Amino acid sequence: MIAVIQRVSESTVKIEGQIKGQIGTGLMVLLGIEEADGSEDIEWLSKKIVNLRIFPDENEVMNRSILEALGDILLISQFTLHASTKKGNRPSYIKAAKPDIAIPLYEKFISYLEKDLGKPIQTGEFGADMKVALVNDGPVTIIMDSKNKV
């Protein structure tokens, strides 16, 4: 699993002009799922995201997690994170999991994030054409890959 994590002061996702998910201070997470991903990847990545110390403390040092900052999470599925651009100019998405594998993993990831965060998260809609807006706070952007955890 690949996650692009952005610390935001606000973020929204719209589908067909309607707001589907919206947060204030928190994390907007783009999640890419590949065929080889499983429960171990979900558990590791969820815990890393909610414990990632990228929110400022009283001295303006990035030393607090989203749990401590009392922030929210907006999770967006994004298969294009697994694009291969080695050959030619048209990306290949061969590593991205097909919906029959990716959807159950995405839903399980939502459950883990909600459990680890201790409250519901906001989401987009798997496979939908989404319009995502955000104000990146910092800017702070972190990329995590569960296959590179060692």
Side-chain angles (χ1 to χ4, degrees):
M1 285 185 169
I2 295 176
V4 175
I5 301 142
Q6 295 183 304
R7 186 180 77 187
V8 299
S9 56
E10 61 184 76
S11 185
T12 60
V13 58
K14 291 183 179 181
I15 300 172
E16 296 180 5
Q18 301 295 320
I19 293 176
K20 168 73 168 85
Q22 182 174 14
I23 63 169
T25 298
L27 300 174
M28 198 282 297
V29 179
L30 302 173
L31 181 71
I33 301 169
E34 67 176 67
E35 297 281 338
D37 290 331
S39 293
E40 183 179 301
D41 299 283
I42 291 169
E43 187 173 345
W44 179 84
L45 191 55
S46 178
K47 289 199 182 317
K48 286 297 269 189
I49 289 171
V50 300
N51 290 295
L52 193 62
R53 294 171 29 190
I54 59 173
F55 288 89
D57 63 14
E58 61 280 350
N59 297 315
E60 295 302 314
V61 175
M62 287 195 292
N63 201 27
R64 295 169 62 208
S65 70
I66 192 166
L67 295 167
E68 297 163 306
L70 304 175
D72 294 308
I73 294 177
L74 173 60
L75 178 69
I76 306 294
S77 64
Q78 188 172 357
F79 76 94
T80 60
L81 292 177
H82 286 288
S84 174
T85 56
K86 289 181 181 177
K87 291 172 127 182
N89 294 314
R90 185 172 187 268
S92 168
Y93 304 105
I94 195 91
K95 284 181 64 178
K98 305 290 183 269
D100 61 321
I101 292 172
I103 291 172
L105 291 174
Y106 175 70
E107 291 172 351
K108 190 172 183 180
F109 191 76
I110 292 168
S111 296
Y112 268 75
L113 268 182
E114 290 180 336
K115 178 179 65 85
D116 290 339
L117 187 61
K119 61 182 173 181
I121 67 166
Q122 297 288 301
T123 66
E125 182 179 312
F126 191 95
D129 180 26
M130 297 176 272
K131 307 301 180 209
V132 179
L134 63 109
V135 177
N136 190 320
D137 181 21
V140 176
T141 302
I142 308 286
I143 301 171
M144 290 185 180
D145 185 341
S146 65
K147 302 301 186 247
N148 294 327
K149 60 182 167 250
V150 177

